Amino acid sequence: MTGCGGLGFLWVVVIVGVSVGGLLVFRKAVSHTRLENANAVSGTMFQLAGVLYAVLVAFMVVVAWEQFGDAEDASEMEAAAIADLLRDSAALPAESRTQIEQALIAYTRHVIDDEFPRMRSGENIELRSDELTAVWDAYLKVQPETRNEIAIFDHAIGRLSDLDTDRTLRVSTGAAAVPGELWVLLVGGGGVVMAFTFLFGTRDVIIHALAVGLTAALLSFVLYLIFALEHPYVGDLSVEPTEYENVLEIWAK
């Protein structure tokens, strides 16, 4: 187990260890008899806190997953725009075709070899790309003459605008993050829920510790999942440049 998987496993183990250890200390400080007398109140409050926290966590998981999906869609649409431009370049004037194809391939390789590794390490990518500017420059030099060339050129300019938009969407989704205030609420709310699990009065320490440990494992895993999905281009659970690589592979045939 490597990378984010190992970090996630360590995170769960630490949280479970701290929770179970805290329970053992708490049970030494407070008698189980006193806790048993308050079981009715503790149970009611735990249900209320649990429901409220579950709603918050469910909302955050959905938001993070949608953000991850938007990042995948942006990459797929950008790669599709590149593929369309490469395909349609065959219908443009011969004197401009080679420069356009070289500029598109150079941009694609830059995305794969430079931008994706930087995004994977958590670095923000510039909205402006010199390689994409070179693509625009190549198209602006085209002088279509026939009706077919004019139609293809107009369509290509539209797809090039789409490529620009898709790139902006990819960069913006890569820079998106859950606000710090929400992380405080998520972590603090998880701490409150775990505190309520300490309040149940039972004479069986092992069963109580097992229940607390399982609850801590579930909460810590969900928090880690939100953290992993929050950054769609970072770590092992991330968007890969597969679509761009497929474009180059198909074009090379």
Side-chain angles (χ1 to χ4, degrees):
M1 186 177 297
T2 59
C4 286
L7 180 61
F9 178 76
L10 179 62
W11 163 258
V12 173
V13 169
V14 169
I15 296 301
V16 170
V18 170
S19 300
V20 174
L23 171 67
L24 297 179
V25 173
F26 181 78
R27 284 182 66 96
K28 288 183 178 181
V30 181
S31 67
H32 66 269
T33 302
R34 185 176 183 182
L35 294 176
E36 286 176 349
N37 294 333
N39 268 345
V41 176
S42 300
T44 301
M45 297 305 296
F46 177 74
Q47 290 179 358
L48 176 61
V51 169
L52 293 175
Y53 189 70
V55 171
L56 172 64
V57 168
F59 171 74
M60 291 307 305
V61 169
V62 170
V63 169
W65 182 254
E66 288 181 347
Q67 180 177 299
F68 189 89
D70 290 342
E72 285 187 319
D73 292 342
S75 297
E76 291 173 359
M77 291 187 297
E78 186 179 16
I82 295 172
D84 289 346
L85 289 168
L86 284 170
R87 181 196 60 210
D88 294 345
S89 64
L92 295 175
E95 59 272 15
S96 303
R97 187 184 311 154
T98 300
Q99 184 180 0
I100 289 174
E101 292 173 354
Q102 289 177 346
L104 286 168
I105 291 173
Y107 173 71
T108 307
R109 292 194 181 281
H110 176 74
V111 171
I112 296 172
D113 298 334
D114 181 78
E115 292 189 351
F116 262 83
R118 289 167 58 198
M119 295 174 76
R120 192 178 180 86
S121 64
E123 182 179 346
N124 290 331
I125 302 301
E126 306 82 7
L127 282 175
R128 179 180 175 81
S129 169
D130 293 338
E131 287 74 16
L132 186 55
T133 300
V135 175
W136 275 105
D137 291 341
Y139 271 97
L140 293 178
K141 295 177 182 177
V142 176
Q143 297 294 328
E145 297 179 357
T146 67
R147 181 177 299 177
N148 183 57
E149 288 177 350
I150 293 174
I152 292 295
F153 178 75
D154 289 342
H155 175 72
I157 291 299
R159 291 301 283 148
L160 189 54
S161 296
D162 293 339
L163 174 59
D164 223 331
T165 301
D166 296 334
R167 171 188 170 78
T168 301
L169 180 59
R170 170 170 61 85
V171 172
S172 62
T173 54
V178 175
E181 293 80 1
L182 278 179
W183 273 116
V184 172
L185 185 57
L186 282 169
V187 176
V192 171
V193 171
M194 289 308 306
F196 273 114
T197 63
F198 290 7
L199 299 179
F200 289 102
T202 174
R203 297 177 183 274
D204 196 326
V205 178
I206 295 179
I207 295 299
H208 198 178
L210 181 61
V212 169
L214 291 175
T215 304
L218 178 61
L219 287 179
S220 57
F221 176 76
V222 171
L223 289 178
Y224 178 75
L225 178 63
I226 295 174
F227 174 77
L229 293 176
E230 175 191 17
H231 305 284
Y233 293 97
V234 178
D236 294 335
L237 182 61
S238 61
V239 179
E240 300 289 341
T242 307
E243 298 297 330
Y244 303 89
E245 294 169 350
N246 291 339
V247 170
L248 295 182
E249 183 178 349
I250 293 172
W251 185 250
K253 293 181 179 179

